[in-house]
Amino acid sequence: MFDSHVHIIDPRFPLVVNDDYEPEPFTVDDYEAETDGLGVVGGAVVTGSFQGTDQSYLLAALEELGHGWVGVTQLPVDATDDDISALDAAGVRALRFNLRRGVADISSLTEQAIRAHEVAGWHSEFYVDAGLLRSLEPIMSKLPAVSIDHLGMAEEAMPYLLDLVDRGARVKATGFGRISHDPVDAMRRIHAVNPEALMFGTDLPSTRAERRFDVSDLDLVADAVGGDLQAVLFQNARAWYREP
């Protein structure tokens, strides 16, 4: 498995209290213990809103996890091309925009996403409320490579999400405990548009979700994609994150 969505919360590094929420620690050791037996050979460590633009935790996590792991980061608005190149050399492969936890400057967001792709080939990942997704079309239409977190969050997002998939966007089959629509139905519809679009991830430690990842979530993926299970669990994400 290539786990496309993991949060590492290392108490050695600073956190940003967000909406009065501060997550419990979830270290690399915790992650490896919880996923023991799942055949994880790589994945993506995703920066959460509670980590701001700190890169120290991410670089430490990537070094500890080792080969096969990449990073997804948030950048300060004044990040330079050299900053992006240095992070890319350390294994970072994407930008994340968490629009559920704060209001973004749309023009700066678009500029930063385009620049990161031009400098290092990074794609942009969006965590966004279903009702807001369609309003981002002025951004989405300009970005060369995009993925959407957690199956778009709700049924309301699905028509536009499927349109994005048809135009090349990828979708994380993650966070089944935080979405309001049927994950199996959503995955079937996305997979029918583009079999390369879905990328499974555990979303551990499932911060603020109604329920935590469970091994039975893998059965839901299998029900949705049938014989393409290996692609959704491994090949699609590995290719998207440009892992050889």
Side-chain angles (χ1 to χ4, degrees):
M1 179 194 297
F2 186 98
D3 189 344
S4 74
H5 202 93
V6 178
H7 297 294
I8 297 298
I9 305 164
D10 190 327
R12 296 177 298 170
F13 300 99
L15 294 176
V16 178
V17 177
N18 184 286
D19 293 336
D20 295 323
Y21 175 78
E22 184 173 343
E24 294 295 319
F26 188 74
T27 65
V28 169
D29 286 344
D30 294 330
Y31 172 77
E32 291 179 339
E34 189 158 348
T35 58
D36 184 41
L38 294 183
V40 176
V41 295
V45 178
V46 177
T47 295
S49 60
F50 42 78
Q51 288 159 323
T53 58
D54 174 53
Q55 310 299 333
S56 57
Y57 99 91
L58 182 57
L59 298 179
L62 293 178
E63 183 175 358
E64 188 172 353
L65 285 160
H67 178 74
W69 284 86
V70 299
V72 180
T73 194
Q74 298 169 157
L75 289 177
V77 293
D78 59 352
T80 66
D81 290 357
D82 287 344
D83 293 333
I84 294 170
S85 295
L87 288 169
D88 185 71
V92 177
R93 293 292 180 267
L95 273 178
R96 191 188 198 210
F97 298 103
N98 185 336
L99 304 186
R100 280 178 59 88
R101 308 295 178 198
V103 178
D105 180 331
I106 298 302
S107 61
S108 295
L109 182 158
T110 306
E111 178 184 347
Q112 189 178 71
I114 292 172
R115 185 158 59 90
H117 187 271
E118 290 175 346
V119 171
W122 291 2
H123 67 268
S124 296
E125 306 193 356
F126 287 84
Y127 181 27
V128 57
D129 280 320
L132 180 61
L133 184 59
R134 182 175 288 278
S135 70
L136 297 178
E137 171 60 18
I139 298 173
M140 299 298 182
S141 63
K142 296 176 182 177
L143 300 187
V146 168
S147 70
I148 306 298
D149 287 353
H150 310 320
L151 297 172
M153 296 298 294
E155 178 60 32
E156 181 182 358
M158 287 301 295
Y160 181 62
L161 182 62
L162 294 174
D163 178 56
L164 288 176
V165 169
D166 192 46
R167 288 187 270 159
R170 300 309 198 255
V171 180
K172 290 194 174 184
T174 56
F176 297 170
R178 66 175 78 246
I179 66 176
S180 63
H181 53 331
D182 178 357
V184 174
D185 177 68
M187 286 187 286
R188 282 176 179 158
R189 291 156 68 189
I190 293 165
H191 189 67
V193 174
N194 181 1
E196 297 181 354
L198 286 171
M199 306 180 294
F200 179 76
T202 62
D203 189 35
L204 283 169
S206 308
T207 56
R208 290 190 264 211
E210 290 188 10
R211 74 163 178 86
R212 197 177 184 92
F213 162 76
D214 187 83
V215 175
S216 63
D217 290 339
L218 298 174
D219 296 329
L220 301 180
V221 181
D223 287 347
V225 304
D228 289 331
L229 180 62
Q230 186 64 14
V232 175
L233 295 185
F234 180 71
Q235 295 156 355
N236 289 353
R238 190 174 174 86
W240 184 243
Y241 284 101
R242 296 176 288 118
E243 277 294 285

